[in-house]
Amino acid sequence: MRSFFYFLFFLLLTASCKESLIEEVVFDEQPAYFDWSAANVYFLLTDRFHNGDKSNDSIIDRSKETGKLRGFEGGDFAGIIQKIEEGYFTDLGVNAIWLTPIWEQIHGGVDEGTGYSYAFHGYWAKDWTAVEPSYGTLEEFKKLVDIAHKNHIRILLDVVINHTGPVTEQDPLWPEEWVRTGPSCTYQDQSTAVTCTLTNNLPDIKTESSQEVALPQHLVEKWKKEGRYDQEVKELDAFFTFSGLTRTPVNYLIKWVTDYARETGVDGFRIDTVKHVEESVWATFNEQAILAFEEWKKNHPEQSFHDDAFFIVGELYGYEASGGRVYPFSDQQVDYFDAGYDAMINFGFKNHAVADYKELFKRYDGFRKNLLNEKPGSGAYFMNYISSHDDGQPFDAHREKAMESAAKLLLTPGMTQIYYGDEIARPLVAEGAVGDANLRTVMDWDHLNLEILTHWQKLGKFRNRHVAVGAGDHFSLEYKGAGTLAARFYDNNDHQDTVLIGAGLADGLLEIQVAKVFPKASRLRNAYTEKKLPVVNGKVTVMVENGVVLLEKL
């Protein structure tokens, strides 16, 4: 962890009509106050982020020719660790990293009509109890979590329990008492989204089954070959005895997945395909996840760097924050927050982001308050994004509005999800790629767009430093001109925070009335330009750059 750095600059103050220059800049890298409802989350596909250890690139033979960008590209835990230690995430203001699933993937591949594909993405599970060798080892992942924590970054692990990976010559079909292979989901109502297969090649776990089942024989043989059968069975016996759960298919998966919280200390789960599993199952799963995390904290007090509860965010496909807590199936409305979810990914933001800044900020302040007020005392949050791994209609498909994307995503109320490469305008279209492979190009570390990256860094660090940006009450300020000026006030858990932000403004000098936002301030700081400003008669004169002003107390 980097300690305090002090840079002293002795410069003359300019005339009051200009923004004052920096007299002294203090970079205090002690952890900022954290609230999950305002988290700045970085979402990455491990395989596509950074290759830090080439020795594991071919550890499993997946050498058959694939479609464009449909094979493993070498990204691994070592690469993520390297970028954490270099300060890449810290410089971006990231306080949580979400990784796609890390367990062992099917060894073979399939062609879904988009070219032969291997499971580089992590969503085609072969064995939930083992780590994907191409990413690294369990010990390496534990190291990743520990180093992230030492840098005040939380880890969200992506999990999926509603289906196995496709069947291949190397990857047998699970027993029929465990999975179904049809019918395909039609989404006519809730049942046709749950007791069905997500696609025709993904065997669906019978999460509704109350039938106790034995371990699949292919898994038994695999564990025996690896020399860990006895240990796995011993752990299963202890889990079912302690939890009181029966040995149904989904309860095995609950044990296997929550083990990652129990054994590695990840701070939360991002749960895939929420609508494809019964809410009663999610209630049990989420309860067990929380218990597993508490067990890890109890057993590793020296490694636990915060007192937060285990955090659970869901991918409820099509959910929008504008709809409040419920998801509207045709036959009923379901409140998955009641099943233990803390937040949902907001699929509506990319569409709402076409609005002007003033309307966007006001609208999302309303969504945030509505969710909190529907059931007071029960946290319910949302996570905004502009691009993602499986959304073919992102906000800025051709990366023509990278600066605007940053300001709208990072300054809007709610949690944020930076998809890897948003911050450098990583291309979302690749020549020869088909379908979602376009969205999953490899991070090009040799050609970073530093102008765009610096813009994202300034906004991200400000957001991380000020919880009010994502979780404060929003007030539009009187302002005539392009863009908007607004104040955000946060007062919760004995922590107060106040900021004044401007977005979409005309570049140049701007006089701002700040007395009502910072009533006792004699000087403020524009975090975007890193300049200190004298407050004269309740006003500051600030230089607007890239349409942005970020005012904070000194």
Side-chain angles (χ1 to χ4, degrees), residues 50-86:
H50 183 49
N51 190 345
D53 180 5
K54 295 186 183 299
S55 70
N56 58 31
D57 289 1
S58 302
I59 198 167
I60 292 177
D61 182 11
R62 295 184 174 110
S63 56
K64 186 173 180 178
E65 184 178 356
T66 68
K68 178 77 170 185
L69 288 170
R70 293 202 171 273
F72 279 78
E73 297 285 344
D76 48 31
F77 300 147
I80 299 170
I81 290 170
Q82 180 181 329
K83 291 303 176 182
I84 295 173
E85 292 181 324
E86 288 177 0

Side-chain angles (χ1 to χ4, degrees), residues 288-340:
Q288 291 298 320
I290 292 168
L291 291 173
F293 183 58
E294 291 303 317
E295 182 177 339
W296 180 85
K297 288 200 294 184
K298 179 180 178 181
N299 293 334
H300 302 83
E302 74 288 352
Q303 292 178 263
S304 183
F305 82 106
H306 61 76
D307 295 323
D308 302 340
F310 197 71
F311 192 80
I312 302 172
V313 55
E315 181 253 2
L316 179 57
Y317 200 88
Y319 169 84
E320 296 195 12
S322 57
R325 294 175 63 98
V326 299
Y327 182 82
F329 290 101
S330 62
D331 58 335
Q332 60 185 311
Q333 293 186 326
V334 179
D335 184 347
Y336 290 95
F337 290 102
D338 277 345

Side-chain angles (χ1 to χ4, degrees), residues 76 105 115 275 293 322 355 422 533:
D76 48 31
Q105 299 296 292
K275 72 167 67 171
F293 183 58
S322 57
D422 281 346
L533 313 172

Side-chain angles (χ1 to χ4, degrees), residues 492-504:
N492 193 28
N493 296 326
D494 297 322
H495 182 81
Q496 291 86 36
D497 185 37
T498 302
V499 295
L500 193 158
I501 62 175

Side-chain angles (χ1 to χ4, degrees), residues 15 83 146 155 165 173 193 244 283-284 291-292 295 327 340 359 436 438 505 524 544:
K83 291 303 176 182
D146 186 49
I155 297 294
L173 179 67
T284 301
L291 291 173
E295 182 177 339
Y327 182 82
E359 179 185 349
D436 56 18
N438 285 287
L505 306 172
L524 297 173
V544 181

Side-chain angles (χ1 to χ4, degrees), residues 5-273:
F5 295 92
Y6 296 91
F7 298 93
L8 299 180
F9 299 87
F10 299 96
L11 300 171
L12 295 175
L13 289 177
T14 59
S16 61
C17 63
K18 297 181 180 180
E19 185 179 68
S20 64
L21 297 179
I22 303 174
E23 296 169 326
E24 175 183 300
V25 182
V26 180
F27 296 95
D28 181 354
E29 298 197 10
Q30 290 301 302
Y33 180 85
F34 182 83
D35 185 326
W36 271 111
S37 69
N40 192 20
V41 181
Y42 192 95
F43 168 36
L44 60 87
L45 275 68
T46 299
D47 175 70
R48 299 298 159 91
F49 187 65
H50 183 49
N51 190 345
D53 180 5
K54 295 186 183 299
S55 70
N56 58 31
D57 289 1
S58 302
I59 198 167
I60 292 177
D61 182 11
R62 295 184 174 110
S63 56
K64 186 173 180 178
E65 184 178 356
T66 68
K68 178 77 170 185
L69 288 170
R70 293 202 171 273
F72 279 78
E73 297 285 344
D76 48 31
F77 300 147
I80 299 170
I81 290 170
Q82 180 181 329
K83 291 303 176 182
I84 295 173
E85 292 181 324
E86 288 177 0
Y88 183 79
F89 299 102
T90 299
D91 290 342
L92 197 54
V94 166
N95 47 32
I97 299 172
W98 152 24
L99 292 78
T100 43
I102 67 169
W103 39 74
E104 187 175 357
Q105 299 296 292
I106 61 170
H107 290 193
V110 296
D111 189 338
E112 297 179 296
T114 54
Y116 192 79
S117 302
Y118 286 115
F120 67 89
H121 43 67
Y123 294 101
W124 291 351
K126 177 183 181 73
D127 183 354
W128 276 270
T129 70
V131 170
E132 168 55 44
S134 298
Y135 300 159
T137 65
L138 180 61
E139 290 307 310
E140 283 182 291
F141 183 71
K142 289 179 180 179
K143 178 182 177 182
L144 186 159
V145 175
D146 186 49
I147 290 174
H149 286 175
K150 289 177 180 177
N151 285 270
H152 312 292
I153 297 171
R154 290 150 175 82
I155 297 294
L156 286 171
L157 181 59
D158 205 330
V159 303
V160 54
I161 68 169
N162 83 295
H163 64 263
T164 71
V167 177
T168 76
E169 291 183 3
Q170 299 100 308
D171 310 287
L173 179 67
W174 290 53
E176 63 179 352
E177 63 267 25
W178 277 79
V179 302
R180 62 173 62 82
T181 55
S184 296
C185 296
T186 60
Y187 307 103
Q188 300 303 305
D189 52 23
Q190 186 179 16
S191 66
T192 55
V194 176
T195 53
C196 53
T197 58
L198 183 62
T199 66
N200 60 12
N201 70 332
L202 291 177
D204 186 69
I205 298 292
K206 292 182 176 178
T207 54
E208 82 287 357
S209 175
S210 59
Q211 176 185 350
E212 295 204 56
V213 295
L215 285 166
Q217 188 58 34
H218 73 272
L219 208 56
V220 170
E221 293 172 1
K222 179 178 185 293
W223 290 351
K224 287 183 176 179
K225 184 178 180 180
E226 295 168 350
R228 58 191 180 94
Y229 171 77
D230 290 340
Q231 180 61 32
E232 292 294 342
V233 170
K234 180 180 178 182
E235 290 182 12
L236 283 167
D237 290 343
F239 173 78
F240 286 119
T241 297
F242 177 78
S243 67
L245 297 174
T246 56
R247 294 174 185 255
T248 62
V250 77
N251 287 340
Y252 280 96
L253 266 70
I254 288 174
K255 188 273 179 190
W256 293 335
V257 172
T258 59
D259 270 352
Y260 288 91
R262 185 177 294 106
E263 296 176 8
T264 72
V266 293
D267 305 276
F269 287 154
R270 178 272 190 186
I271 297 180
D272 194 53
T273 58

Side-chain angles (χ1 to χ4, degrees), residues 442-495:
V442 179
M443 192 78 165
D444 186 354
W445 294 102
D446 294 327
H447 300 91
L448 301 182
N449 187 316
L450 295 181
E451 179 184 6
I452 293 173
L453 177 60
T454 299
H455 177 68
W456 281 78
Q457 288 173 335
K458 289 179 178 181
L459 292 166
K461 284 189 284 190
F462 183 77
R463 181 185 176 89
N464 179 46
R465 191 160 61 246
H466 293 288
V467 66
V469 176
D473 291 331
H474 172 88
F475 295 90
S476 296
L477 303 180
E478 184 177 346
Y479 171 68
K480 295 180 181 179
T484 189
L485 290 173
R488 303 262 172 88
F489 301 94
Y490 180 93
D491 187 353
N492 193 28
N493 296 326
D494 297 322
H495 182 81

